[in-house]
Every structure is written in structure tokens, then in C-alpha cells.
Amino acid sequence: GACGRTDRWDDAMSILEEMRSQQVRPDASSFNAAMSACADSDLWQWALEFFADMKRSAVEADAFTCAAALTVSQSCQQNPQAV
């Protein structure tokens, strides 16, 4: 994309924040993008936070969400300092 890979997580967080400030409810795709961007940047704790936020917001998880959560979980087990 137009942004460097290391900036994706920051962009994803900003977009979710902007959506909420505009009274737009994030959907599964929005959360999935944020989780994926955080996971790509080794920010597992943020990816897990987005997953928890998704559940709190009553947004139904899809197959991509489950795959992202598994990837984050496996990475945390391989690198416990990540969380």
C-alpha cells in the first residue's frame, strides 16, 4: 500500500478511532484489518485488544477473525514477551 508496513498499525488504529468519532460502527472487516496490521508489526497485545474490543462491540467474528486470533495466539506462545 501507500504506507510503509510499520505504519499500517498506526493507520488502522486511527481509522477505527475516526470511525467511532463519526458515529460509524466498525464491522468485522475493520477489526480484522486492525488486528492484521498489528500482528504484521509484532504488536500482539494490540491485536488481542482489538479482538476483545470486537467482542465488546458485539461484532460477529468471521473466518478471517478466527484465523487472525489463532496466528496471534501462536505468536504469543512462541514469544511470550510479546504480551
Side-chain angles (χ1 to χ4, degrees), residues 2-54:
C3 300
R5 187 176 199 116
T6 57
D7 293 334
R8 286 186 57 214
W9 66 272
D10 193 35
D11 291 340
M13 290 172 63
S14 295
I15 290 168
L16 281 177
E17 211 173 278
E18 180 67 22
M19 289 176 76
R20 288 190 173 121
S21 74
Q22 297 295 321
Q23 306 293 321
V24 176
R25 184 174 180 246
D27 61 5
S29 295
S30 305
F31 282 108
N32 292 344
M35 287 190 300
S36 178
C38 289
D40 287 348
S41 298
D42 292 331
L43 298 170
W44 308 113
Q45 66 278 19
W46 280 105
L48 292 171
E49 182 58 35
F50 282 125
F51 184 70
D53 191 21
M54 185 177 181

